[in-house]
Amino acid sequence: MPWFAKIEKGIVEKTIFDQYVPDHIAYVQELIAKGHKAQTGYWKKHQGGMLLFEASSMSEAQKIVAQDPLIKNNCVSYEIYQWCIVAE
């Protein structure tokens, strides 16, 4: 399955953002349980983060991202990219 990356930037105050982090983590764990090999994290010195995951298509990737609590609660702006691995 292809890999996708949601690159995001926070657009709300940290106190608001932090309210939805537990739900986001639970959602990522749900994706892992469904076989999407998801990983999530943030940039150490910059606002924002990334969600990496496998999906069958860009259409499925968009549907997965749309259900992320950080997206549903308008906490981040984002772009989705298909990530083409050249070495493992």
Side-chain angles (χ1 to χ4, degrees):
M1 253 196 300
W3 280 90
F4 293 86
K6 174 188 73 159
I7 308 293
E8 61 191 32
K9 181 175 174 137
I11 58 173
V12 296
E13 296 293 325
K14 186 173 179 347
T15 54
I16 295 170
F17 182 91
D18 287 349
Q19 292 176 33
Y20 298 103
V21 170
D23 294 338
H24 169 72
I25 292 170
Y27 182 63
V28 172
Q29 291 170 336
E30 183 181 317
L31 292 175
I32 293 166
K34 291 179 178 178
H36 292 284
K37 300 181 182 175
Q39 298 179 14
T40 190
Y42 61 93
W43 310 119
K44 180 96 172 150
K45 295 185 179 185
H46 302 284
Q47 274 188 328
M50 181 168 62
L51 171 66
L52 290 171
F53 60 97
E54 287 186 335
S56 61
S57 65
M58 178 60 83
S59 177
E60 182 185 25
Q62 290 167 333
K63 289 176 185 173
I64 287 170
V65 168
Q67 295 305 308
D68 185 332
L70 295 178
I71 301 302
K72 291 173 78 173
N73 291 286
N74 300 309
C75 294
V76 298
S77 61
Y78 69 94
E79 294 187 39
I80 304 172
Y81 299 96
Q82 184 172 345
W83 185 37
C84 300
I85 299 172
V86 296
E88 294 187 73

